[in-house]
Amino acid sequence: MLIVAYDLHEKPESAYETLISGIRQYSNTFEFQKSVWIIATERERANVRDYLKQFIQSDDKLFVGTLTNGSWTGGQTELTNFLSNYWTIE
């Protein structure tokens, strides 16, 4: 499971839509917060980063990391439902 975070520097909405479309190419995704996504995939984080780089500019920021566990609050029923497919939720 991977977490993806990005910051597109002064870009139009269409740039965000293009990147989000790239993220959604992975079959199991969840938009956790604006500009933060969770991807359930067997692919390596560097592979996902390299794939997503085509959708951003050189002045943008992109982070892809491994997500192995977590705690959250704030009415994220959808997040709990998504993660329960992959983790034992306490």
Side-chain angles (χ1 to χ4, degrees), residues 5-22:
Y6 55 87
D7 183 14
L8 305 186
H9 185 70
E10 298 182 11
K11 300 295 188 299
E13 188 65 29
S14 61
Y16 286 89
E17 292 168 3
T18 299
L19 176 57
I20 290 168
S21 178

Side-chain angles (χ1 to χ4, degrees), residues 2-83:
L2 302 176
I3 188 162
V4 175
Y6 55 87
D7 183 14
L8 305 186
H9 185 70
E10 298 182 11
K11 300 295 188 299
E13 188 65 29
S14 61
Y16 286 89
E17 292 168 3
T18 299
L19 176 57
I20 290 168
S21 178
I23 292 170
R24 287 188 171 147
Q25 292 301 307
Y26 296 95
S27 58
N28 298 310
T29 62
F30 180 81
E31 184 178 18
F32 176 57
Q33 296 175 340
K34 183 177 173 135
S35 301
V36 179
W37 287 73
I38 297 171
I39 301 175
T41 181
E42 296 296 321
R43 294 189 182 252
E44 296 292 323
R45 60 185 178 267
N47 292 350
V48 173
R49 178 208 54 210
D50 291 346
Y51 172 73
L52 294 177
K53 279 179 16 180
Q54 69 181 305
F55 302 110
I56 64 173
Q57 305 283 321
S58 62
D59 61 339
D60 297 329
K61 298 174 185 173
L62 174 68
F63 171 83
V64 180
T66 304
L67 185 62
T68 58
N69 206 342
S71 297
W72 58 93
T73 188
Q76 290 288 338
T77 302
E78 297 88 2
L79 176 62
T80 301
N81 292 341
F82 178 81
L83 291 176

